[in-house]
Amino acid sequence: MPSALEYFEEIAKIPRPSGHEEKIREYLNEFARANSFECIEDVAGNIIIRRGENPITLQGHMDMVPESISPFDFQTCGITTSVKDGWICADGTTLGADNGAGVALMLYALTAQELKHVSLECLFTVDEEVGMTGVEALSSSVLKGKTLINLDHEDGNSLLIGCAGGVNTEAVFPKIRTLPKGVWYTLKISGLASGHSGIDIGLGRANAVKLAADFMTRVNAEQVSAFSSGTKCNVIPKEAVVTFSTEAADVESVFVAYVDEVKELYAKTDSEISMTLEKTAEPSFAYDGFFVHSLHECRNGVVEEDTRGVLTSSNLAAVVDEDDGFRIITLQRSAVNKSRDALSSEIAFVFREAGADVFTHSSFSGWLLDENSPLVLRAAKVYEKLFGKSPHVETTHGGVECGMIQEKYPEMEIISLGPTIEGCHTVNERMSIQSLEETERFLSGLILELWE
């Protein structure tokens, strides 16, 4: 029977960017037919392949992030792979190991000779990378297993037992036209390290929206004609451009002092920060800058930590200059749903008090398994027996589908594992072949342990 690596190399040839998983669905349906497995495709396009009664559930997602250094049609072209120093890599594109490795491991488990007597069901979800819409649409009655092994972890040396949930809190401040007054400046901020608002938020990196708002608050900015910063809700904003006016007399000296302060504060995390301030001509129109102070007051960064890392955080992600207002995009995360919602409510209150229309959307649940639970202890025992050492047990402040699955199946115990993958979502993505082979052995051993 094929190994997980052989299945992965086969899957890599199948186009499957988020939102275009048709070909991988066809492949999975044909795989089920060829092996006489039950196969269910739901209205969202999720696939469930099942054999036997009272199964152990395995889960991963079909889609991959499409990034390339040159034009590449991910909808029609497969990924070209190669092996370099024990790592499987792509040629100028993302590799799709996130989560092609999980798909490959599930196919391996379904066909492995040593597991043929075990009842299994494998859930392959769609669109995980663009909002988890597949798992969001999953029925709360279709899965039959009581234990689920998620295969979307990216560290072969550890067990993942928790992730953050999240919610987007957005505010729209109306554009209130006013006659321009004061002296006008354009502030530009660039060169920030940025990063993922789940994985990197605990590193203390600078946020371009906060830097701009904090400086404008110091010089009592009264009007703006333009303000833009940030791109996506889950990305720490790395650039900002804002044109504003002030009647303060010492703007340039305040700016020099502020830049020195910022560069000293972020010397270790954002050594390439660039900030410029230039006088600019008075614009033909201006808007009241009343909303800037609320950006200054908005919580951002780590809010709560525990012994395993960041527990609760907020990312002041973007200011979007739209025709009818300035849209503020934020994302709150927490492994505890009550903490997530409380922080969202606090931020919503700050924006509403300043005059914005506020709404929340795209809420997803966190997940947290007790590190002394029977499932964790049994998994650790299998790992130690196979590799002669204890696995790390960790949580992630990023989001995985486990939280949304547990919300639909609250009695289900869930643990996550996977091979070591580096550079996910970038053209530098690569997967350790040794780690994939070890994860294959670990998964097989854990399934047998749970089946006994």
Side-chain angles (χ1 to χ4, degrees):
M1 291 296 130
S3 66
L5 177 59
E6 290 170 321
Y7 274 123
F8 176 77
E9 290 175 330
E10 196 169 284
I11 291 164
K13 299 173 184 176
I14 303 171
R16 51 190 177 86
S18 300
H20 299 278
E21 296 99 333
E22 300 86 2
K23 291 182 175 63
I24 187 67
R25 278 201 295 266
E26 291 173 7
Y27 172 88
L28 293 172
N29 273 289
E30 178 55 34
F31 170 88
R33 283 193 295 270
N35 289 280
S36 301
F37 297 145
E38 177 185 6
C39 186
I40 301 168
E41 182 172 340
D42 68 13
V43 294
N46 301 311
I47 297 285
I48 298 165
I49 297 177
R50 183 185 294 128
R51 69 151 185 243
E53 300 297 324
N54 303 313
I56 295 168
T57 306
L58 310 181
Q59 187 268 325
H61 60 87
M62 300 179 226
D63 60 318
M64 64 171 286
V65 171
E67 292 289 339
S68 63
I69 59 176
S70 59
F72 187 89
D73 188 351
F74 284 91
Q75 294 185 37
T76 61
C77 299
I79 303 302
T80 300
T81 62
S82 61
V83 175
K84 299 177 182 177
D85 300 322
W87 295 80
I88 188 166
C89 312
D91 182 17
T93 70
T94 37
L95 175 64
D98 177 12
N99 189 223
V103 175
L105 286 161
M106 285 190 278
L107 299 182
Y108 158 77
L110 286 165
T111 54
Q113 187 68 19
E114 68 267 26
L115 300 176
K116 65 179 183 179
H117 64 291
V118 179
S119 295
L120 293 173
E121 67 178 356
C122 294
L123 169 62
F124 305 84
T125 53
V126 297
D127 292 350
E128 188 270 351
E129 301 289 5
V130 290
M132 302 189 186
T133 56
V135 73
E136 184 178 21
L138 183 71
S139 165
S140 60
S141 61
V142 68
L143 298 181
K144 305 301 181 185
K146 302 300 182 185
T147 301
L148 183 143
I149 304 172
N150 169 275
L151 295 164
D152 196 16
H153 190 34
E154 295 160 7
D155 182 352
N157 298 310
S158 69
L159 302 174
L160 186 66
I161 65 168
C163 74
V167 63
N168 289 97
T169 305
E170 294 194 13
V172 179
F173 286 93
K175 286 183 170 179
I176 301 175
R177 291 287 292 264
T178 182
L179 293 175
K181 63 179 181 179
V183 180
W184 285 84
Y185 296 88
T186 295
L187 171 66
K188 294 182 180 180
I189 301 172
S190 62
L192 277 63
S194 184
H196 190 282
S197 69
I199 298 169
D200 301 316
I201 198 78
L203 300 177
R205 293 175 177 172
N207 178 303
V209 175
K210 288 295 287 186
L211 293 183
D214 292 351
F215 173 70
M216 292 167 70
T217 300
R218 292 191 182 197
V219 296
N220 297 314
E222 297 183 22
Q223 299 177 331
V224 298
S225 63
F227 194 150
S228 63
S229 179
T231 55
K232 300 177 181 178
C233 65
N234 62 354
V235 177
I236 301 168
K238 64 180 180 180
E239 298 176 341
V241 178
V242 56
T243 299
F244 67 94
S245 73
T246 176
E247 296 185 355
D250 55 351
V251 176
E252 285 84 359
S253 60
V254 172
F255 178 72
V256 170
Y258 183 65
V259 171
D260 289 343
E261 180 183 325
V262 167
K263 289 192 172 183
E264 180 179 356
L265 181 61
Y266 296 106
K268 294 182 178 180
T269 61
D270 299 78
S271 59
E272 302 299 318
I273 285 180
S274 173
M275 301 178 66
T276 63
L277 182 71
E278 295 182 354
K279 284 186 177 180
T280 188
E282 181 179 279
S284 58
F285 61 87
Y287 304 111
D288 194 308
F290 67 99
F291 67 93
V292 171
H293 186 71
S294 69
L295 300 180
H296 171 72
E297 292 295 317
C298 179
R299 294 284 285 274
N300 178 73
V302 176
V303 174
E304 185 179 5
E305 294 182 272
D306 65 10
T307 56
R308 285 171 294 201
V310 180
L311 186 65
T312 306
S313 74
S314 182
N315 183 39
L316 181 52
V319 178
V320 184
D321 193 342
E322 299 180 339
D323 290 342
D324 57 351
F326 292 98
R327 180 179 299 273
I328 316 302
I329 299 172
T330 74
L331 172 59
Q332 290 72 53
R333 296 178 184 266
S334 182
V336 180
N337 290 341
K338 287 184 178 179
S339 298
R340 172 201 67 190
D341 296 340
L343 182 57
S344 172
S345 295
E346 175 190 327
I347 289 171
F349 177 81
V350 169
F351 288 146
R352 285 196 182 99
E353 285 292 291
D357 292 326
V358 182
F359 61 97
T360 60
H361 65 90
S362 303
S363 174
F364 59 96
S365 294
W367 148 68
L368 191 61
L369 181 65
D370 191 317
E371 59 186 303
N372 293 311
S373 71
L375 178 57
V376 175
L377 296 177
R378 293 176 79 178
K381 182 182 77 170
V382 172
Y383 189 95
E384 290 169 9
K385 183 178 179 180
L386 287 172
F387 307 118
K389 60 181 180 180
S390 299
H392 299 297
V393 178
E394 62 183 22
T395 62
T396 176
H397 198 55
V400 293
E401 293 167 295
C402 302
M404 297 181 73
I405 293 172
Q406 188 150 75
E407 190 172 36
K408 296 172 185 288
Y409 295 87
E411 302 304 316
M412 182 179 278
E413 278 199 301
I414 302 174
I415 196 167
S416 181
L417 55 97
T420 298
I421 303 170
E422 296 181 350
C424 283
H425 302 185
T426 76
V427 296
N428 298 315
E429 183 181 3
R430 64 179 190 166
M431 176 171 61
S432 166
I433 293 175
Q434 178 181 335
S435 182
L436 179 62
E437 292 169 345
E438 290 177 351
T439 303
E440 177 185 298
R441 292 171 57 203
F442 180 36
L443 176 63
S444 181
L446 180 55
I447 290 172
L448 291 172
E449 167 72 19
L450 297 174
W451 187 247
E452 292 178 354

